[in-house]
Amino acid sequence: MKKYKTADGYNVYRIKKGSKSHELAHRKTYQKDIDDLLGTLDDIKYDSIIFIFGIDTGGYLGALSRLLCSKNKVVIFEPSAEVFEQYNPRIAEQIQLVFYEKDQLKNFFDKHINSVNFNNLYFHAFGNYAKIYKEEYDHLVETLDWAYINASSQLVLANRFREVFIQNMLANLKILNKATPIHHYLFTNKNVPAIIVSAGPSLDKHIQVMAAHKNRLKDYFIIAGSRTVRALIQNDIKPDMILSIDPIDANYDMMKEHLDLDVPLVFYEYSNRYLVKDYQGEKIYIASLLPKVIKAFRHLKGAYLGGSVAHTCIDMANMLGCSPIVLVGQDLAYTYDKHHSDTATYERDKTLKYESQITVEDVFGNQVKTTLTLNHFRKKLEDYIALYQSKTDVAFINCSYGAKIEGAAHKELSEIFKSSIPYASKKTLTPYKDIVIESKAAADTILRYIDECLEKAGQGLELCNTIILENSEKSLIDVEEKDIDLQRILYILKLVNEFENAAESHYLGGYFSKFKYDIKQNAFNMFAKDYDRLTSDLQHQAQAFKAYFQAMQEMLEEVKHIGCETVTEFYK
């Protein structure tokens, strides 16, 4: 690696990659490379995260720093070890240099990108990096896109189900004393083969194969979601576990003819409340929300929630210690141009639009139609499989005929049944109900928390209106520490911090995440270049926080109304 002077007065590195030498930026027009970067960032917001591919000699760092405000963060990925070693990774307070490692990218982006900031990201490949390191660049873009889609989908999901999440959570508190926490069943079926029954189009054939090998099913731990229970029961196949994580009433309709099954039902806080209440068999609780809020519940285990019930079914098998984990009906595609198997299609499906959007490779190397959502589920499943195969010797086998799933080799289900590989004997799950909670008191505590937050919103609104009515024009930077308006703003900030950082805010679910996203877009949407001026302007701050507390108040009133109705219905 050598450093050369550019025609316009900068320095550029020339590196050797393979048998060829490359300059990391343009030697004649280095300034244009800098201008291209700055042009990408000319409208950054005050809290934007900026990802840059390549640092070269750092000729752009000075100009970049001048664009930033104190809330911005810059992450530079450098693929050349030689170049990376020339720098301290902490280049500046807001600028971090990271060595490009393909296997670490996903974890890095998952840590830094969330449902609040996903639409405020910037990315730029500096100079010639995208051409010289094309493979690394393409993977970086793909991983970043994946993180963006994942974060945005979380917000969409939270927003779509925000009302029913509150209803289910409050109602399901009443069932906890009657349920066994999942941690009592960890590794109870170690090395027992599991069959995960999903509702993809190829399930119809798999049901036939399972029915033809009923004598073998006693050796397998069969896990089904609500949608596939009917298909199994109609073929005289009894699952060992049923999972219900979908919140909507359609989940109840799929199970309403089988509420008396002697099969444990796995649920979590947001599972459909009517199904959880009316199901007569044993119940198993997987914790998601409550350990984040209730100290006595912090030992309770949760499960992987990857967007579809199949992800959680697979995680259940893994937690039980099962191996191999055999996937049937896990098409994740429109195999045979169908959205679900015939045996797992319901009346409600006739009202929904199932339209393919893309094609992916199937298990036979051909192209098959699918949707962005199903493909998203496939990628999350592949990530899950990769994680656990790197830590344990659990095996995954895909018997489905849809999308290819990396890490789960395709094999015919009939061939698996014909094999004589010795497995451990299946164990029955013995209930152990040790959760102690006063459910009505817990529900009332949540409603009181909402009232306390409403009181804080009222206090904040009153302070903001006082500042606005007094119409005092001043900079918060220039005032004395005891200035009354500064003290008002500091108290407003205290109210906001208490609300946003309280563990109890998790009770608000999708309402809270949507509120934070919306308020940032509507009340605090400022450019980085304006950040210092606007945040020190008393009247601007008062107006912004007035909008904050008004939105907070409206959101909490809606949650309170839903909560009171639910408590009245389920705790008569």
Side-chain angles (χ1 to χ4, degrees):
M1 182 179 74
K2 293 184 179 180
K3 184 187 291 185
Y4 292 89
K5 200 77 172 177
T6 67
D8 47 2
Y10 292 92
N11 292 306
V12 63
Y13 280 128
R14 176 183 288 177
I15 59 99
K16 192 168 184 179
K17 191 170 185 284
S19 60
K20 295 182 179 180
S21 293
H22 305 271
E23 288 168 350
L24 296 177
H26 294 91
R27 194 167 178 181
K28 293 183 179 180
T29 55
Y30 199 95
Q31 182 62 54
K32 184 178 182 304
D33 289 332
I34 297 177
D35 292 342
D36 287 345
L37 169 61
L38 301 181
T40 301
L41 307 178
D42 64 353
D43 62 344
I44 61 169
K45 301 299 173 54
Y46 78 99
D47 59 348
S48 293
I49 301 178
I50 300 158
F51 299 108
I52 300 174
F53 185 51
I55 189 170
D56 186 36
T57 57
Y60 60 78
L61 292 174
L64 171 64
S65 297
R66 290 189 287 275
L67 291 179
L68 308 177
C69 72
S70 59
K71 294 294 184 181
N72 289 130
K73 182 172 184 176
V74 178
V75 180
I76 304 171
F77 294 97
E78 177 51 54
S80 168
E82 285 184 295
V83 174
F84 178 79
E85 290 170 359
Q86 305 305 308
Y87 295 90
N88 182 334
R90 178 57 65 183
I91 291 175
E93 183 66 29
Q94 300 148 269
I95 304 177
Q96 177 185 3
L97 181 66
V98 175
F99 182 59
Y100 177 98
E101 293 181 279
K102 182 178 180 179
D103 295 339
Q104 298 301 316
L105 286 179
K106 183 183 181 302
N107 290 337
F108 185 91
F109 285 136
D110 286 347
K111 181 179 178 181
H112 288 84
I113 299 174
N114 55 53
S115 60
V116 175
N117 68 16
F118 72 91
N119 69 329
N120 206 4
L121 310 174
Y122 289 76
F123 175 75
H124 184 84
F126 182 70
N128 297 323
Y129 273 84
K131 295 179 181 178
I132 299 170
Y133 295 96
K134 185 179 186 308
E135 182 179 339
E136 292 86 347
Y137 169 78
D138 288 346
H139 183 73
L140 179 61
V141 171
E142 180 183 353
T143 309
L144 180 56
D145 285 347
W146 161 248
Y148 176 93
I149 293 170
N150 190 41
S152 61
S153 66
Q154 289 176 12
L155 180 65
V156 170
L157 183 68
N159 182 36
R160 178 183 174 190
F161 296 122
R162 65 185 189 277
E163 180 176 343
V164 71
F165 277 176
I166 296 289
Q167 294 169 325
N168 290 342
M169 178 266 294
L170 285 168
N172 288 340
L173 289 172
K174 196 171 183 179
I175 308 299
L176 295 180
N177 290 329
K178 303 174 184 177
T180 298
I182 187 61
H183 69 261
H184 288 301
Y185 297 137
L186 293 180
F187 303 110
T188 53
N189 278 267
K190 188 170 178 59
N191 294 325
V192 172
I195 299 178
I196 309 301
V197 185
S198 298
S202 64
L203 176 63
D204 293 326
K205 180 175 180 180
H206 292 136
I207 287 287
Q208 295 174 12
V209 175
M210 292 172 73
H213 293 83
K214 279 184 184 172
N215 63 317
R216 294 299 313 277
L217 294 182
K218 67 181 186 303
D219 300 322
Y220 289 77
F221 199 96
I222 302 173
I223 303 179
S226 303
R227 183 181 277 273
T228 57
V229 169
R230 183 184 69 182
L232 292 172
I233 298 302
Q234 286 178 345
N235 286 274
D236 196 27
I237 300 171
K238 182 180 176 182
D240 296 286
M241 178 183 284
I242 300 170
L243 261 78
S244 176
I245 62 170
D246 291 332
I248 59 177
D249 291 345
N251 225 40
Y252 184 92
D253 294 336
M254 294 173 185
M255 286 284 295
K256 62 185 178 183
E257 303 299 326
H258 308 291
L259 297 175
D260 59 349
L261 282 176
D262 182 22
V263 177
L265 176 76
V266 180
F267 74 101
Y268 81 135
E269 294 91 345
Y270 298 138
S271 299
N272 181 263
R273 59 198 181 280
Y274 298 111
L275 176 56
V276 174
K277 176 175 72 73
D278 291 349
Y279 189 77
Q280 297 173 32
E282 291 293 339
K283 298 181 180 75
I284 299 172
Y285 170 57
I286 50 176
S288 177
L289 165 72
L290 296 182
K292 300 173 184 176
V293 187
I294 302 175
K295 187 179 295 186
F297 280 16
R298 287 181 184 167
H299 68 290
L300 298 180
K301 285 189 67 66
Y304 181 61
L305 302 169
S308 79
V309 67
H311 294 84
T312 311
C313 287
I314 292 167
D315 196 38
M316 285 295 101
N318 204 358
M319 292 170 73
L320 294 173
C322 296
S323 185
I325 297 174
V326 179
L327 311 180
V328 301
Q330 189 60 36
D331 292 67
L332 297 167
Y334 288 177
T335 316
Y336 318 128
D337 288 323
K338 295 180 180 181
H339 50 81
H340 291 99
S341 72
D342 293 337
T343 54
T345 298
Y346 292 81
E347 281 298 315
R348 180 176 182 271
D349 294 312
K350 298 176 182 178
T351 67
L352 303 176
K353 289 184 178 180
Y354 291 104
E355 296 180 357
S356 60
Q357 298 159 308
I358 58 174
T359 62
V360 296
E361 183 181 354
D362 71 9
V363 295
F364 303 111
N366 303 315
Q367 291 295 300
V368 63
K369 295 177 182 178
T370 189
T371 66
L372 293 173
T373 298
L374 289 175
N375 198 42
H376 177 71
F377 290 162
R378 178 181 65 83
K379 290 183 176 181
K380 296 200 78 168
L381 179 53
E382 289 177 341
D383 288 340
Y384 177 91
I385 291 172
L387 174 64
Y388 278 93
Q389 286 182 331
S390 68
K391 294 164 55 176
T392 66
D393 57 357
V394 61
F396 297 85
I397 301 173
N398 181 19
C399 297
S400 314
Y401 298 145
K404 177 182 178 182
I405 301 172
E406 291 291 341
H410 176 70
K411 192 172 183 179
E412 291 291 339
L413 182 60
S414 57
E415 293 301 315
I416 294 176
F417 285 140
K418 291 176 184 177
S419 66
S420 58
I421 301 174
Y423 297 123
S425 298
K426 182 169 63 177
K427 305 290 193 305
T428 301
L429 302 180
T430 304
Y432 193 97
K433 302 169 186 178
D434 61 348
I435 295 178
V436 178
I437 183 172
E438 293 291 337
S439 54
K440 178 61 164 59
D444 289 341
T445 297
I446 294 172
L447 294 179
R448 281 198 301 273
Y449 166 73
I450 295 171
D451 282 334
E452 291 168 3
C453 291
L454 278 167
E455 184 178 344
K456 290 180 179 180
Q459 292 176 6
L461 268 177
E462 183 178 351
L463 285 171
C464 291
N465 284 327
T466 299
I467 295 172
I468 292 168
L469 286 172
E470 291 180 356
N471 199 29
S472 175
E473 299 287 341
K474 64 176 69 172
S475 168
L476 295 170
I477 296 177
D478 300 329
V479 298
E480 296 291 331
E481 184 178 345
K482 294 183 179 180
D483 181 89
I484 183 62
D485 288 320
L486 176 61
Q487 293 303 312
R488 287 167 174 164
I489 291 294
L490 290 176
Y491 190 74
I492 286 169
L493 291 172
K494 179 175 179 290
L495 292 174
V496 170
N497 287 332
E498 286 178 352
F499 173 59
E500 294 194 356
N501 295 320
E504 291 83 356
S505 65
H506 291 290
Y507 286 134
L508 303 175
Y511 279 95
F512 185 63
S513 55
K514 186 175 185 298
F515 164 78
K516 289 200 298 180
Y517 174 84
D518 287 346
I519 203 67
K520 193 183 82 164
Q521 301 304 309
N522 299 328
F524 299 105
N525 190 9
M526 66 187 89
F527 294 109
K529 61 185 177 183
D530 299 325
Y531 177 76
D532 290 338
R533 174 177 61 84
L534 292 178
T535 53
S536 63
D537 185 305
L538 174 65
Q539 289 302 317
H540 178 272
Q541 288 289 78
Q543 292 287 356
F545 281 112
K546 178 180 179 179
Y548 180 99
F549 289 117
Q550 285 176 331
M552 176 180 168
Q553 198 171 59
E554 291 173 6
M555 179 265 289
L556 291 170
E557 289 287 2
E558 184 175 345
V559 175
K560 180 179 179 181
H561 176 72
I562 294 167
C564 289
E565 282 190 337
T566 305
V567 170
T568 300
E569 178 183 0
F570 281 82
Y571 296 88
K572 294 177 183 178

